[in-house]
């Protein structure tokens, strides 16, 4: 079953399509200085080596993911690429329609995104789309919608754009998790051809680990913001003598004392569900393989029988029977795509890595709490 194309189709509809350059009289610009020619990448020849997120973008994504329902939070990233670094300076969320039809939702999201880009351009803010962000839980970012949306972006954006994945489950435990991905060249070529057969996967040595490639992320905050956070976290001491203890604007957080056992049980449930889905998908693929083998066997038997009949007729001095198109006589099914199986394996791997990290941290906390209780 294919995922609803609301997000991918909306982004595809609102992204600028390549057009023939008109020749109206416009302003003239000076040539780029030689000292900046190696930094400003006009032709997009410098490969991306890093993604730099502004502190405001991080705050916006966390706020949107916290206020949205589940993992429905997604939005657009704005910025520019400079000397191999994709600088994300702004972002805005996209609406999520639950009860609307797919076509109505796609058109509404596309109109909203185009309106936001026009408004940002009017105030001379960054309006260049460089990717999108998606909130997820427990590492479940291997899905059809993300792959489809990123494939569209890598065709229309400079450097292909990136997708920023935000793990809301880790953020709830006090660790803001952001990762940047894009599709690998081998997977994108196979996706364009829509060829995910068994033979193609073997020839290209393609597995779930070769679907996405991760790009390093660094977060940039201004010195003024850093000084403000230091002021909030530092205890404030009154000028007048007082017996009260100094307090800070930010209250202390005791989230680190949580053992995190609830996340472990939820993570196990997610792994079991993914394993069941993978088992069902493999069963469907095996059934289709048996159908293909059965129809191919019938076609091969028919061709062999026709050859024997023609040989007998030639021996009797008769004209051989005309050859017929086997594909018209026998409907041999097309080999099913294994893309869904690859995505399910990637999801299981992501769940397992999250479980390993969560359980190891919880185990250390349990031993620490047990030791403190004994003391």
């Amino acid at each position: 079953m294919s995922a609803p194309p609301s997000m991918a189709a909306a982004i595809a509809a609102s992204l600028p399509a390549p057009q023939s350059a008109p020749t109206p009289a416009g302003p003239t610009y000076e040539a780029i200085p030689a000292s900046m020619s190696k930094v400003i990448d006009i032709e997009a020849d410098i490969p991306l080596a890093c993604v730099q997120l502004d502190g405001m973008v991080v705050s916006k994504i966390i706020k949107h993911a916290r206020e949205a329902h589940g993992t429905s939070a997604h939005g657009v990233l704005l910025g520019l690429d400079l000397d191999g670094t994709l600088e994300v300076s702004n972002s805005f969320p996209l609406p999520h329609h639950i009860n609307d039809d797919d076509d109505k939702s796609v058109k509404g999201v596309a109109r909203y995104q185009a309106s936001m880009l026009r408004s940002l351009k009017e105030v001379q803010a960054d309006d260049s789309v460089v990717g999108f962000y998606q909130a997820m839980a427990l590492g479940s970012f291997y899905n059809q919608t993300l792959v489809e949306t990123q494939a569209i972006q890598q065709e229309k954006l400079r450097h292909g754009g990136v997708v920023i994945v935000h793990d809301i489950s880790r953020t709830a435990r006090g660790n803001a998790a952001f990762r940047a991905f894009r599709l690998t060249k081998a997977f994108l070529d196979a996706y364009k051809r829509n060829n995910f057969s068994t033979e193609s996967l073997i020839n290209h040595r393609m597995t779930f680990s070769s679907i996405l490639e991760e790009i390093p992320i660094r977060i940039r905050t201004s010195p003024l913001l850093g000084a403000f956070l230091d002021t909030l976290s530092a205890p404030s001491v009154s000028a007048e003598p007082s017996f009260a203890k100094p307090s800070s604007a930010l209250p202390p957080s005791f989230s680190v004392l949580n053992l995190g056992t609830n996340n472990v049980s939820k993570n196990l449930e997610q792994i079991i569900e993914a394993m069941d889905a993978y088992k069902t998908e493999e069963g469907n693929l095996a059934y289709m393989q048996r159908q293909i083998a059965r129809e191919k066997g019938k076609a091969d038997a028919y061709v062999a029988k026709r050859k024997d009949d023609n040989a007998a007729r030639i021996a009797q001095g008769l004209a051989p029977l005309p050859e017929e198109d086997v594909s018209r006589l026998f409907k041999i099914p097309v080999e099913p795509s294994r893309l869904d199986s690859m995505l399910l394996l990637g999801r299981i791997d992501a769940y397992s890595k999250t479980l390993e990290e969560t359980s190891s941290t919880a185990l250390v906390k349990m031993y620490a709490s047990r030791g403190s209780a004994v003391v």
Side-chain angles (χ1 to χ4, degrees):
M1 295 178 60
S2 59
S6 58
M7 182 179 176
I11 292 180
S14 56
L15 286 176
Q19 302 176 355
S20 58
T23 57
T28 59
Y29 300 95
E30 297 181 359
I32 298 175
S35 59
M36 296 292 294
S37 60
K38 295 183 179 180
V39 178
I40 301 177
D41 187 15
I42 299 178
E43 301 295 334
D45 293 332
I46 304 176
L48 288 181
C50 179
V51 176
Q52 177 177 290
L53 292 181
D54 193 81
M56 181 183 65
V57 176
V58 174
S59 302
K60 282 185 175 182
I61 296 177
I62 294 177
K63 181 176 181 294
H64 183 204
R66 183 178 299 176
E67 296 176 352
H69 299 283
T71 59
S72 60
H74 62 277
V76 179
L77 301 174
L78 307 173
L80 55 88
D81 53 280
L82 189 66
D83 194 19
T85 300
L86 189 64
E87 299 182 359
V88 182
S89 58
N90 200 358
S91 66
F92 61 87
L94 292 177
H96 179 68
H97 302 280
I98 300 177
N99 299 324
D100 295 345
D101 297 334
D102 288 342
D103 295 338
K104 187 183 299 184
S105 174
V106 167
K107 294 179 181 178
V109 173
R111 286 194 299 266
Y112 175 80
Q113 181 174 344
S115 175
M116 285 292 298
L117 293 177
R118 285 195 303 267
S119 301
L120 291 172
K121 189 174 184 179
E122 290 176 358
V123 298
Q124 296 183 356
D126 290 336
D127 63 334
S128 299
V129 179
V130 296
F132 71 101
Y133 68 85
Q134 175 70 51
M136 54 90 182
L138 300 175
S140 58
F141 53 89
Y142 280 90
N143 55 70
Q144 188 76 24
T145 304
L146 185 142
V147 170
E148 182 181 354
T149 307
Q150 184 60 23
I152 294 174
Q153 297 216 37
Q154 291 194 201
E155 285 295 315
K156 294 189 175 184
L157 297 181
R158 283 171 55 89
H159 289 298
V162 296
V163 50
I164 301 296
V165 177
H166 171 51
D167 193 342
I168 57 179
S169 61
R170 291 186 58 183
T171 304
R173 300 194 300 269
N175 299 320
F178 291 88
R179 301 175 68 183
F181 294 98
R182 63 181 175 184
L183 299 177
T184 60
K185 187 177 182 301
F187 178 83
L188 189 60
D189 293 340
Y191 187 83
K192 291 178 182 178
R193 299 191 307 267
N194 195 19
N195 186 8
F196 292 99
S197 61
T198 304
E199 183 179 357
S200 176
L201 297 182
I202 294 175
N203 293 336
H204 295 87
R205 298 180 179 179
M206 191 176 301
T207 61
F208 67 88
S209 59
S210 59
I211 297 177
L212 298 170
E213 60 177 342
E214 187 171 2
I215 305 175
I217 283 185
R218 67 168 179 256
I219 298 177
R220 175 187 174 275
T221 56
S222 63
L224 184 61
L225 178 59
F228 176 69
L229 293 177
D230 290 340
T231 303
L232 290 179
S233 59
S236 59
V237 181
S238 176
E240 299 179 358
S242 176
F243 295 100
K245 295 182 179 180
S247 60
S248 61
L250 293 177
S253 176
F254 301 99
S255 60
V256 294
L257 301 180
N258 184 10
L259 298 181
T261 54
N262 295 331
N263 293 323
V264 173
S265 59
K266 184 177 180 180
N267 205 334
L268 287 173
E269 293 177 359
Q270 296 281 359
I271 292 178
I272 293 174
E273 292 179 1
M275 291 291 292
D276 290 340
Y278 178 75
K279 183 178 180 181
T280 303
E281 181 67 21
E282 286 298 307
N284 295 335
L285 290 175
Y287 174 78
M288 291 298 298
Q289 292 288 351
R290 290 194 297 269
Q291 288 289 103
I292 294 173
R294 188 180 299 113
E295 293 298 326
K296 283 185 177 180
K298 291 180 181 179
D300 294 340
Y302 178 83
V303 171
K305 186 176 182 300
R306 176 57 62 92
K307 288 182 179 180
D308 294 340
D309 293 343
N310 287 335
R313 291 176 65 89
I314 293 174
Q316 297 174 4
L318 301 176
L321 297 175
E323 297 183 358
E324 299 184 22
D325 189 3
V326 181
S327 60
R328 294 183 178 181
L329 298 176
F330 301 93
K331 296 181 179 180
I332 302 176
V334 181
E335 184 176 355
S337 173
R338 290 187 172 270
L339 177 59
D340 292 338
S341 298
M342 292 175 59
L343 293 175
L344 286 172
L345 285 176
R347 195 176 305 171
I348 294 172
D349 180 73
Y351 286 150
S352 303
K353 290 180 179 178
T354 305
L355 177 61
E356 178 185 4
E357 178 184 354
T358 305
S359 59
S360 60
T361 305
L363 189 62
V364 172
K365 289 182 179 180
M366 291 178 66
Y367 270 104
S369 61
R370 179 181 178 183
S372 60
V374 172
V375 173

